[in-house]
């Protein structure tokens, strides 16, 4: 949160509490532990939104893995995807012949995930899957598999636990729906 902000002026209602998110991490961590046993996956956090989910999820994965990060951006400072995706900061690791698991906070139109999966597959990865906290399926406009996810979410703009609006509010410890008037305030500027 930002000092001086009143949470009640920002969040319309809470969608997923800290306990809800913890339960998602436990369930997904168990599944990933089974599915990646013996594979030493490369876990790729999609910067910046995924960092909160990534740190909690990987601590529930009882499987040896390595971490890397990829910053691919399409939203810029706005809240609507521009559709033009670029690599802001590339992976450090070579993904050739690796089992890669992309961790995302949310899959919305699917453009970001498709871009990342295609990029990593194109570099010769053995497998590329995604584990997202939230799946905003109704907004999908490209065909891409979200292999694991914590929960579906409706067509609402959510913030907190890594999810931002104008790069703010990521540190709200739960996921809430952003008040439409907050969006309006910035859109009309
Ligand atoms: O499915 P899409 O419509 O592509 O949207 C989902 C992506 O958008 C957000 O990232 P953003 O590009 O805003 O950067 P951030 O992770 O730094 O917030 C979010 O974290 C996902 O990565
Ligand atoms: Mg992101």
């Amino acid at each position: 949160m930002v000092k001086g902000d009143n949470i009640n002026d920002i969040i319309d209602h809470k969608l997923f509490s800290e306990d809800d998110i913890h339960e998602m991490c436990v369930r997904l961590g168990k599944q990933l532990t089974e599915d990646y046993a013996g594979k030493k996956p490369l876990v790729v956090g999609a910067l910046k939104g995924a960092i909160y989910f990534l740190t909690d999820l990987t601590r529930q994965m009882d499987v040896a893995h390595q971490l890397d990060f990829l910053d691919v951006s399409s939203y810029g400072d706005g809240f609507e995807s521009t559709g033009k995706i670029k690599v802001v900061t590339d992976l450090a690791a070579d993904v050739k012949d690796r089992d890669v698991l992309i961790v995302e906070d949310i899959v919305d139109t699917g453009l970001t995930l498709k871009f990342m999966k295609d990029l990593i597959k194109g570099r010769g990865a053995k497998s590329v899957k995604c584990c997202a906290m939230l799946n905003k399926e109704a907004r999908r406009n490209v065909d891409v598999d979200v292999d694991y996810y914590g929960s579906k979410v409706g067509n609402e703009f959510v913030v907190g636990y890594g999810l931002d609006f104008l790069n703010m509010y990521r540190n709200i410890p739960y996921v809430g729906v952003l008040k439409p008037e907050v969006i309006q305030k910035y859109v009309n500027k």
Side-chain angles (χ1 to χ4, degrees):
M1 281 295 297
V2 181
K3 235 184 174 169
D5 275 349
N6 182 344
I7 191 80
N8 298 319
D9 295 337
I10 296 161
I11 300 292
D12 190 78
H13 57 279
K14 197 184 273 195
L15 263 193
F16 300 102
S17 68
E18 289 167 85
D19 284 349
D20 295 334
I21 297 166
H22 178 71
E23 276 170 29
M24 289 177 198
C25 291
V26 170
R27 173 172 56 80
L28 291 167
K30 238 183 222 154
Q31 188 66 55
L32 293 167
T33 299
E34 280 175 28
D35 294 359
Y36 283 94
K39 290 190 171 163
K40 201 179 305 158
L42 181 70
V43 175
V44 171
L47 292 172
K48 311 186 231 343
I51 56 170
Y52 295 79
F53 181 52
L54 175 94
T55 56
D56 286 339
L57 177 71
T58 52
R59 282 179 291 171
Q60 300 295 333
M61 286 172 62
D62 189 8
V63 66
H65 62 274
Q66 292 168 322
L67 267 189
D68 204 350
F69 295 94
L70 178 60
D71 190 354
V72 163
S73 224
S74 75
Y75 281 70
D77 273 344
F79 67 97
E80 279 290 345
S81 174
T82 61
K84 286 190 214 106
I85 302 177
K86 58 176 187 179
V87 175
V88 178
T89 308
D90 209 337
L91 294 164
D94 182 358
V95 295
K96 195 166 170 7
D97 300 326
R98 298 295 306 268
D99 290 300
V100 177
L101 178 70
I102 298 169
V103 176
E104 261 293 23
D105 52 353
I106 193 165
V107 182
D108 188 309
T109 65
L111 285 164
T112 304
L113 180 59
K114 181 156 173 40
F115 180 89
M116 291 191 291
K117 278 193 163 183
D118 288 349
L119 181 80
I120 292 169
K121 272 183 217 153
R123 290 176 180 177
K126 193 188 208 176
S127 70
V128 188
K129 293 196 172 183
C130 173
C131 179
M133 174 172 63
L134 300 176
N135 185 358
K136 208 191 267 190
E137 221 171 33
R139 290 248 311 164
R140 205 60 40 79
N141 67 18
V142 287
D143 189 17
V144 65
D145 287 336
V146 186
D147 308 277
Y148 306 89
Y149 59 88
S151 179
K152 287 187 187 172
V153 68
N155 189 7
E156 307 166 292
F157 200 84
V158 285
V159 293
Y161 198 73
L163 293 151
D164 71 304
F165 174 64
L166 304 179
N167 208 8
M168 297 183 296
Y169 312 137
R170 296 188 196 271
N171 63 328
I172 295 171
Y174 54 85
V175 175
V177 175
L178 188 66
K179 284 199 162 175
E181 47 270 40
V182 178
I183 299 175
Q184 284 313 317
K185 197 172 126 187
Y186 288 93
V187 169
N188 294 331
K189 270 195 174 166

PDB file of all heavy atoms in Angstrom, residues 57-79:
ATOM      1  N   LEU A  57       4.553 -20.152  -3.889  1.00  0.00           N
ATOM      2  CA  LEU A  57       4.331 -21.418  -4.604  1.00  0.00           C
ATOM      3  C   LEU A  57       5.558 -22.330  -4.529  1.00  0.00           C
ATOM      4  O   LEU A  57       5.448 -23.518  -4.214  1.00  0.00           O
ATOM      5  CB  LEU A  57       3.989 -21.135  -6.076  1.00  0.00           C
ATOM      6  CG  LEU A  57       3.798 -22.371  -6.947  1.00  0.00           C
ATOM      7  CD1 LEU A  57       2.498 -23.100  -6.588  1.00  0.00           C
ATOM      8  CD2 LEU A  57       3.785 -22.000  -8.435  1.00  0.00           C
ATOM      9  N   THR A  58       6.738 -21.774  -4.819  1.00  0.00           N
ATOM     10  CA  THR A  58       7.932 -22.634  -4.888  1.00  0.00           C
ATOM     11  C   THR A  58       8.274 -23.209  -3.513  1.00  0.00           C
ATOM     12  O   THR A  58       8.854 -24.291  -3.426  1.00  0.00           O
ATOM     13  CB  THR A  58       9.154 -21.892  -5.483  1.00  0.00           C
ATOM     14  OG1 THR A  58       9.325 -20.672  -4.766  1.00  0.00           O
ATOM     15  CG2 THR A  58       8.961 -21.617  -6.953  1.00  0.00           C
ATOM     16  N   ARG A  59       7.887 -22.500  -2.443  1.00  0.00           N
ATOM     17  CA  ARG A  59       8.142 -23.052  -1.105  1.00  0.00           C
ATOM     18  C   ARG A  59       7.206 -24.209  -0.781  1.00  0.00           C
ATOM     19  O   ARG A  59       7.375 -24.890   0.207  1.00  0.00           O
ATOM     20  CB  ARG A  59       8.087 -21.943  -0.053  1.00  0.00           C
ATOM     21  CG  ARG A  59       9.398 -21.137  -0.077  1.00  0.00           C
ATOM     22  CD  ARG A  59       9.397 -20.020   0.914  1.00  0.00           C
ATOM     23  NE  ARG A  59       8.454 -18.973   0.524  1.00  0.00           N
ATOM     24  CZ  ARG A  59       8.125 -17.962   1.290  1.00  0.00           C
ATOM     25  NH1 ARG A  59       8.622 -17.872   2.506  1.00  0.00           N
ATOM     26  NH2 ARG A  59       7.280 -17.037   0.862  1.00  0.00           N
ATOM     27  N   GLN A  60       6.199 -24.425  -1.634  1.00  0.00           N
ATOM     28  CA  GLN A  60       5.322 -25.598  -1.482  1.00  0.00           C
ATOM     29  C   GLN A  60       5.697 -26.706  -2.458  1.00  0.00           C
ATOM     30  O   GLN A  60       5.018 -27.721  -2.529  1.00  0.00           O
ATOM     31  CB  GLN A  60       3.850 -25.195  -1.713  1.00  0.00           C
ATOM     32  CG  GLN A  60       3.331 -24.157  -0.755  1.00  0.00           C
ATOM     33  CD  GLN A  60       3.288 -24.660   0.688  1.00  0.00           C
ATOM     34  OE1 GLN A  60       3.158 -25.856   0.939  1.00  0.00           O
ATOM     35  NE2 GLN A  60       3.400 -23.751   1.637  1.00  0.00           N
ATOM     36  N   MET A  61       6.760 -26.497  -3.225  1.00  0.00           N
ATOM     37  CA  MET A  61       7.196 -27.505  -4.207  1.00  0.00           C
ATOM     38  C   MET A  61       8.372 -28.274  -3.630  1.00  0.00           C
ATOM     39  O   MET A  61       9.453 -27.714  -3.461  1.00  0.00           O
ATOM     40  CB  MET A  61       7.625 -26.820  -5.521  1.00  0.00           C
ATOM     41  CG  MET A  61       6.475 -26.309  -6.352  1.00  0.00           C
ATOM     42  SD  MET A  61       7.045 -25.314  -7.743  1.00  0.00           S
ATOM     43  CE  MET A  61       7.998 -26.499  -8.682  1.00  0.00           C
ATOM     44  N   ASP A  62       8.124 -29.560  -3.349  1.00  0.00           N
ATOM     45  CA  ASP A  62       9.198 -30.379  -2.792  1.00  0.00           C
ATOM     46  C   ASP A  62       9.913 -31.088  -3.933  1.00  0.00           C
ATOM     47  O   ASP A  62       9.861 -32.314  -4.062  1.00  0.00           O
ATOM     48  CB  ASP A  62       8.585 -31.374  -1.788  1.00  0.00           C
ATOM     49  CG  ASP A  62       9.653 -32.107  -1.005  1.00  0.00           C
ATOM     50  OD1 ASP A  62      10.839 -31.731  -1.129  1.00  0.00           O
ATOM     51  OD2 ASP A  62       9.300 -33.060  -0.296  1.00  0.00           O
ATOM     52  N   VAL A  63      10.529 -30.287  -4.764  1.00  0.00           N
ATOM     53  CA  VAL A  63      11.219 -30.825  -5.935  1.00  0.00           C
ATOM     54  C   VAL A  63      12.385 -29.884  -6.264  1.00  0.00           C
ATOM     55  O   VAL A  63      12.225 -28.657  -6.203  1.00  0.00           O
ATOM     56  CB  VAL A  63      10.216 -30.985  -7.116  1.00  0.00           C
ATOM     57  CG1 VAL A  63       9.692 -29.658  -7.618  1.00  0.00           C
ATOM     58  CG2 VAL A  63      10.800 -31.773  -8.248  1.00  0.00           C
ATOM     59  N   ALA A  64      13.537 -30.476  -6.555  1.00  0.00           N
ATOM     60  CA  ALA A  64      14.703 -29.649  -6.886  1.00  0.00           C
ATOM     61  C   ALA A  64      14.420 -28.884  -8.171  1.00  0.00           C
ATOM     62  O   ALA A  64      13.956 -29.470  -9.158  1.00  0.00           O
ATOM     63  CB  ALA A  64      15.933 -30.531  -7.051  1.00  0.00           C
ATOM     64  N   HIS A  65      14.648 -27.597  -8.141  1.00  0.00           N
ATOM     65  CA  HIS A  65      14.415 -26.790  -9.335  1.00  0.00           C
ATOM     66  C   HIS A  65      15.362 -25.599  -9.319  1.00  0.00           C
ATOM     67  O   HIS A  65      15.972 -25.304  -8.295  1.00  0.00           O
ATOM     68  CB  HIS A  65      12.950 -26.318  -9.385  1.00  0.00           C
ATOM     69  CG  HIS A  65      12.555 -25.442  -8.244  1.00  0.00           C
ATOM     70  ND1 HIS A  65      12.113 -25.939  -7.039  1.00  0.00           N
ATOM     71  CD2 HIS A  65      12.564 -24.087  -8.112  1.00  0.00           C
ATOM     72  CE1 HIS A  65      11.844 -24.934  -6.216  1.00  0.00           C
ATOM     73  NE2 HIS A  65      12.110 -23.801  -6.838  1.00  0.00           N
ATOM     74  N   GLN A  66      15.446 -24.944 -10.462  1.00  0.00           N
ATOM     75  CA  GLN A  66      16.217 -23.709 -10.523  1.00  0.00           C
ATOM     76  C   GLN A  66      15.281 -22.570 -10.885  1.00  0.00           C
ATOM     77  O   GLN A  66      14.213 -22.812 -11.452  1.00  0.00           O
ATOM     78  CB  GLN A  66      17.338 -23.855 -11.561  1.00  0.00           C
ATOM     79  CG  GLN A  66      18.377 -24.865 -11.109  1.00  0.00           C
ATOM     80  CD  GLN A  66      19.341 -25.246 -12.205  1.00  0.00           C
ATOM     81  OE1 GLN A  66      18.956 -25.378 -13.370  1.00  0.00           O
ATOM     82  NE2 GLN A  66      20.595 -25.450 -11.834  1.00  0.00           N
ATOM     83  N   LEU A  67      15.674 -21.367 -10.543  1.00  0.00           N
ATOM     84  CA  LEU A  67      14.827 -20.193 -10.757  1.00  0.00           C
ATOM     85  C   LEU A  67      15.427 -19.261 -11.798  1.00  0.00           C
ATOM     86  O   LEU A  67      16.641 -19.093 -11.851  1.00  0.00           O
ATOM     87  CB  LEU A  67      14.746 -19.369  -9.462  1.00  0.00           C
ATOM     88  CG  LEU A  67      13.631 -19.586  -8.467  1.00  0.00           C
ATOM     89  CD1 LEU A  67      13.702 -18.484  -7.418  1.00  0.00           C
ATOM     90  CD2 LEU A  67      12.258 -19.616  -9.116  1.00  0.00           C
ATOM     91  N   ASP A  68      14.560 -18.677 -12.574  1.00  0.00           N
ATOM     92  CA  ASP A  68      15.002 -17.602 -13.462  1.00  0.00           C
ATOM     93  C   ASP A  68      13.822 -16.642 -13.634  1.00  0.00           C
ATOM     94  O   ASP A  68      12.708 -16.937 -13.183  1.00  0.00           O
ATOM     95  CB  ASP A  68      15.464 -18.170 -14.807  1.00  0.00           C
ATOM     96  CG  ASP A  68      16.440 -17.243 -15.507  1.00  0.00           C
ATOM     97  OD1 ASP A  68      16.620 -16.092 -15.052  1.00  0.00           O
ATOM     98  OD2 ASP A  68      17.019 -17.654 -16.531  1.00  0.00           O
ATOM     99  N   PHE A  69      14.080 -15.521 -14.277  1.00  0.00           N
ATOM    100  CA  PHE A  69      13.043 -14.501 -14.444  1.00  0.00           C
ATOM    101  C   PHE A  69      13.028 -13.982 -15.868  1.00  0.00           C
ATOM    102  O   PHE A  69      14.070 -13.919 -16.528  1.00  0.00           O
ATOM    103  CB  PHE A  69      13.285 -13.336 -13.465  1.00  0.00           C
ATOM    104  CG  PHE A  69      13.143 -13.754 -12.041  1.00  0.00           C
ATOM    105  CD1 PHE A  69      14.253 -14.144 -11.303  1.00  0.00           C
ATOM    106  CD2 PHE A  69      11.891 -13.810 -11.441  1.00  0.00           C
ATOM    107  CE1 PHE A  69      14.123 -14.571  -9.986  1.00  0.00           C
ATOM    108  CE2 PHE A  69      11.748 -14.229 -10.129  1.00  0.00           C
ATOM    109  CZ  PHE A  69      12.868 -14.613  -9.400  1.00  0.00           C
ATOM    110  N   LEU A  70      11.831 -13.637 -16.300  1.00  0.00           N
ATOM    111  CA  LEU A  70      11.656 -13.071 -17.643  1.00  0.00           C
ATOM    112  C   LEU A  70      10.687 -11.899 -17.502  1.00  0.00           C
ATOM    113  O   LEU A  70       9.619 -12.048 -16.907  1.00  0.00           O
ATOM    114  CB  LEU A  70      11.067 -14.154 -18.563  1.00  0.00           C
ATOM    115  CG  LEU A  70      10.757 -13.792 -20.005  1.00  0.00           C
ATOM    116  CD1 LEU A  70      12.014 -13.331 -20.747  1.00  0.00           C
ATOM    117  CD2 LEU A  70      10.148 -15.011 -20.737  1.00  0.00           C
ATOM    118  N   ASP A  71      11.103 -10.766 -18.023  1.00  0.00           N
ATOM    119  CA  ASP A  71      10.218  -9.590 -17.972  1.00  0.00           C
ATOM    120  C   ASP A  71       9.768  -9.267 -19.387  1.00  0.00           C
ATOM    121  O   ASP A  71      10.543  -8.788 -20.212  1.00  0.00           O
ATOM    122  CB  ASP A  71      10.953  -8.400 -17.341  1.00  0.00           C
ATOM    123  CG  ASP A  71      10.008  -7.241 -17.031  1.00  0.00           C
ATOM    124  OD1 ASP A  71       8.813  -7.317 -17.408  1.00  0.00           O
ATOM    125  OD2 ASP A  71      10.452  -6.261 -16.425  1.00  0.00           O
ATOM    126  N   VAL A  72       8.516  -9.595 -19.626  1.00  0.00           N
ATOM    127  CA  VAL A  72       7.907  -9.391 -20.932  1.00  0.00           C
ATOM    128  C   VAL A  72       6.739  -8.453 -20.697  1.00  0.00           C
ATOM    129  O   VAL A  72       5.910  -8.728 -19.838  1.00  0.00           O
ATOM    130  CB  VAL A  72       7.403 -10.757 -21.451  1.00  0.00           C
ATOM    131  CG1 VAL A  72       6.425 -10.594 -22.564  1.00  0.00           C
ATOM    132  CG2 VAL A  72       8.569 -11.605 -21.909  1.00  0.00           C
ATOM    133  N   SER A  73       6.692  -7.371 -21.429  1.00  0.00           N
ATOM    134  CA  SER A  73       5.670  -6.388 -21.090  1.00  0.00           C
ATOM    135  C   SER A  73       4.784  -6.014 -22.243  1.00  0.00           C
ATOM    136  O   SER A  73       5.265  -5.764 -23.352  1.00  0.00           O
ATOM    137  CB  SER A  73       6.342  -5.126 -20.536  1.00  0.00           C
ATOM    138  OG  SER A  73       5.623  -4.709 -19.422  1.00  0.00           O
ATOM    139  N   SER A  74       3.486  -5.979 -21.987  1.00  0.00           N
ATOM    140  CA  SER A  74       2.561  -5.535 -23.029  1.00  0.00           C
ATOM    141  C   SER A  74       1.641  -4.445 -22.523  1.00  0.00           C
ATOM    142  O   SER A  74       1.025  -3.742 -23.299  1.00  0.00           O
ATOM    143  CB  SER A  74       1.718  -6.704 -23.530  1.00  0.00           C
ATOM    144  OG  SER A  74       0.737  -7.034 -22.592  1.00  0.00           O
ATOM    145  N   TYR A  75       1.540  -4.323 -21.220  1.00  0.00           N
ATOM    146  CA  TYR A  75       0.592  -3.356 -20.664  1.00  0.00           C
ATOM    147  C   TYR A  75       1.230  -1.987 -20.455  1.00  0.00           C
ATOM    148  O   TYR A  75       0.528  -1.004 -20.285  1.00  0.00           O
ATOM    149  CB  TYR A  75       0.007  -3.861 -19.333  1.00  0.00           C
ATOM    150  CG  TYR A  75      -1.082  -4.886 -19.542  1.00  0.00           C
ATOM    151  CD1 TYR A  75      -0.781  -6.153 -20.018  1.00  0.00           C
ATOM    152  CD2 TYR A  75      -2.411  -4.576 -19.305  1.00  0.00           C
ATOM    153  CE1 TYR A  75      -1.770  -7.090 -20.229  1.00  0.00           C
ATOM    154  CE2 TYR A  75      -3.415  -5.511 -19.508  1.00  0.00           C
ATOM    155  CZ  TYR A  75      -3.080  -6.775 -19.975  1.00  0.00           C
ATOM    156  OH  TYR A  75      -4.057  -7.697 -20.186  1.00  0.00           O
ATOM    157  N   GLY A  76       2.554  -1.939 -20.461  1.00  0.00           N
ATOM    158  CA  GLY A  76       3.212  -0.670 -20.180  1.00  0.00           C
ATOM    159  C   GLY A  76       2.729  -0.150 -18.855  1.00  0.00           C
ATOM    160  O   GLY A  76       2.575  -0.903 -17.898  1.00  0.00           O
ATOM    161  N   ASP A  77       2.423   1.131 -18.811  1.00  0.00           N
ATOM    162  CA  ASP A  77       1.919   1.712 -17.566  1.00  0.00           C
ATOM    163  C   ASP A  77       0.404   1.695 -17.516  1.00  0.00           C
ATOM    164  O   ASP A  77      -0.211   2.149 -16.575  1.00  0.00           O
ATOM    165  CB  ASP A  77       2.412   3.161 -17.405  1.00  0.00           C
ATOM    166  CG  ASP A  77       3.770   3.187 -16.719  1.00  0.00           C
ATOM    167  OD1 ASP A  77       4.149   2.165 -16.124  1.00  0.00           O
ATOM    168  OD2 ASP A  77       4.435   4.231 -16.802  1.00  0.00           O
ATOM    169  N   GLY A  78      -0.211   1.167 -18.573  1.00  0.00           N
ATOM    170  CA  GLY A  78      -1.675   1.208 -18.635  1.00  0.00           C
ATOM    171  C   GLY A  78      -2.295  -0.035 -18.043  1.00  0.00           C
ATOM    172  O   GLY A  78      -1.637  -0.817 -17.386  1.00  0.00           O
ATOM    173  N   PHE A  79      -3.571  -0.224 -18.266  1.00  0.00           N
ATOM    174  CA  PHE A  79      -4.220  -1.414 -17.755  1.00  0.00           C
ATOM    175  C   PHE A  79      -4.926  -2.187 -18.849  1.00  0.00           C
ATOM    176  O   PHE A  79      -5.605  -3.145 -18.601  1.00  0.00           O
ATOM    177  CB  PHE A  79      -5.175  -1.070 -16.599  1.00  0.00           C
ATOM    178  CG  PHE A  79      -6.351  -0.257 -17.032  1.00  0.00           C
ATOM    179  CD1 PHE A  79      -7.566  -0.864 -17.299  1.00  0.00           C
ATOM    180  CD2 PHE A  79      -6.231   1.106 -17.190  1.00  0.00           C
ATOM    181  CE1 PHE A  79      -8.638  -0.122 -17.726  1.00  0.00           C
ATOM    182  CE2 PHE A  79      -7.315   1.853 -17.601  1.00  0.00           C
ATOM    183  CZ  PHE A  79      -8.512   1.233 -17.867  1.00  0.00           C
TER     184      PHE A  79
END
